Amino acid sequence: MDDTKRKEEEQVMSNEDDSKGSICGYDSLHRLLKDNLKPHLFHAFCFQADKELLREPRVVRVGLIQNSIALPTTAHFADQKKAIFDKLRPIIEAAGSSGVNILCLQEAWMMPFAFCTREKRWCEFAEPVDGESTEFLQCFALKYNMVIISPILERDINHGEVIWNTAVVIGNHGNVIGKHRKNHIPRVGDFNESTYYMEGNTGHPVFETAFGKIAINICYGRHHPLNWLAFGLNGAEIVFNPSATVGELSEPMWPIEARNAAIANSYFVASINRVGTETFPNAFTSGDGKPAHADFGHFYGSSHVSAPDSSCTPSLSRNRDGLLITDMDLNLCRQVKDRWGFRMTARYDMYADTLAHYVKPDFEPQIISDPLLHKKSLLWSVVRLPSAATPNKISMLHIGIIKPVPRKNFKSMKLETGKDREKETKEFPLLATYKVCYTGGFVDLGVIVVDLWSLFCVNSSHTAQILMSTRLAKLLEPRIGSFS
């Protein structure tokens, strides 16, 4: 066996190595928790809704497939695509045999995710909506009465052969219901996708199928809350998020964004991510200062489903192919809407007005600034302490302002005292003991100056004492210099 052949086989084996990308020996966080927490602390479940009097349950079985590529990226393109078809065939058959109603594959499932390389030769994988990938899946849709979502690299033959990142929706009769093109294209790290395709032009379509109203928010669109919102406004009950994303970049956000979208929009979210590490023949860089490298990073799988009531399924493995099958009662969507009233209490007219102003060139943010924000002074409240004659009376005397002293002269501070017609400024040395002499004559038995950090007392003998905490000293130091 020659060295090239051996290297190709070793790369394929590395994609299937169970130990790669594991967490403490477990291939997913959910399995780690399940094996180490008491049973009552961890539950895997299907999504149920309350029984209704006027509507029957609307239970739909959803399947998600995550997989690694089947051949090294150095293999002939036709062989790579055929090998992926052969790899997915038994998984799709298993989904159909299990009664799955709606099946979704991962982003650009029919090719390696080569958009990091910026090499144009990978455009050869692009195909029309009715191309061989669609033809391959149509027979399964018809055979199993199953809706299939097929995210592909699309070549638009009728419009200059432009390339799009597209999800094709195949109906349960084997027909093409429609397509949706990716709304948001990343320009972060190695995600150099705009080298191949730009933002989609299909809006936020919702496809009404035999099993419910579905939408597809492709990959990077999950980072945009308004993108999720628009699918909900159009009536989606399940939003699929086929993705190809790597651990170093997005894994901490992966379980959060989908659940948040499901909760905020009162629909189910099905998140799909590919697995494995795909190595390319030529090293590449992405202008981020990192040395040249030949792989995107580890695609961490972890596909799962989130519900509008904030629950979610366990996730699939971080490093192995998998099929996740989940039952969900779509009645839960309306029940959560009725319970929380997010649609009713939303202020869409106000949001629309803000957005309408925001997109104009002369937009100015609605910011109300504190008028004293840029004044370099501190405002203090001064109150009269109870005296023997008026033991229950505390009255406001005046406002004192500590004015800043230049840093080169920080051994004194100025206190402006008195009422409007009798204002005068006194300068006090800042001694190590924080005791100063006060010569004003408006004090009876005592005056206290208080804010959140300090206490400034003046007694009847006109001797003042500053009790300064560390917090106040740190607050004042950049304004009037060091107190040491």
Side-chain angles (χ1 to χ4, degrees), residues 362-375:
D362 59 350
F363 169 76
E364 293 185 6
Q366 184 182 2
I367 298 175
I368 301 174
S369 297
D370 181 349
L372 299 180
L373 184 62
H374 301 294
K375 287 183 175 293

Side-chain angles (χ1 to χ4, degrees), residues 42-63:
F42 186 89
H43 301 277
F45 48 84
C46 61
F47 301 107
Q48 299 177 342
D50 294 337
K51 185 177 180 180
E52 299 185 15
L53 297 178
L54 301 180
R55 287 197 304 173
E56 293 296 323
R58 301 173 59 222
V59 178
V60 174
R61 180 161 292 182
V62 169

Side-chain angles (χ1 to χ4, degrees), residues 75 165 398 429-430 444:
N165 186 320
H398 70 285
L430 294 178
D444 288 335

Side-chain angles (χ1 to χ4, degrees), residues 158-169:
N158 293 334
H159 295 88
E161 299 187 310
V162 172
I163 291 176
W164 304 94
N165 186 320
T166 301
V168 180
V169 181

Side-chain angles (χ1 to χ4, degrees), residues 250-263:
S250 66
E251 193 165 8
M253 299 185 289
W254 178 252
I256 299 171
E257 290 174 310
R259 292 181 74 180
N260 178 70
I263 295 167

Side-chain angles (χ1 to χ4, degrees), residues 105-212:
L105 282 61
Q106 65 198 24
E107 182 182 19
W109 66 272
M110 23 65 75
M111 63 177 292
F113 205 76
F115 310 123
C116 51
T117 67
R118 298 198 298 273
E119 296 175 354
K120 291 294 187 175
R121 64 196 191 97
W122 301 103
C123 294
E124 291 187 48
F125 278 96
E127 58 186 71
V129 166
D130 58 355
E132 61 180 321
S133 295
T134 298
E135 292 177 356
F136 170 72
L137 295 173
Q138 283 176 312
C139 61
F140 297 109
L142 187 59
K143 178 180 179 179
Y144 292 108
N145 190 39
M146 181 167 58
V147 172
I148 301 179
I149 299 169
S150 172
I152 64 170
L153 187 64
E154 177 204 354
R155 187 177 292 280
D156 187 354
I157 301 298
N158 293 334
H159 295 88
E161 299 187 310
V162 172
I163 291 176
W164 304 94
N165 186 320
T166 301
V168 180
V169 181
I170 303 171
N172 57 311
H173 298 293
N175 58 308
V176 174
I177 298 177
K179 65 177 181 287
H180 172 59
R181 292 167 174 163
K182 188 173 182 177
N183 278 334
H184 298 277
I185 308 303
R187 295 162 179 84
V188 55
D190 287 332
F191 286 86
N192 301 309
E193 297 175 47
S194 56
T195 303
Y196 301 87
Y197 45 79
M198 298 300 287
E199 286 77 9
N201 57 3
T202 53
H204 298 86
V206 170
F207 303 92
E208 187 170 14
T209 73
F211 308 108

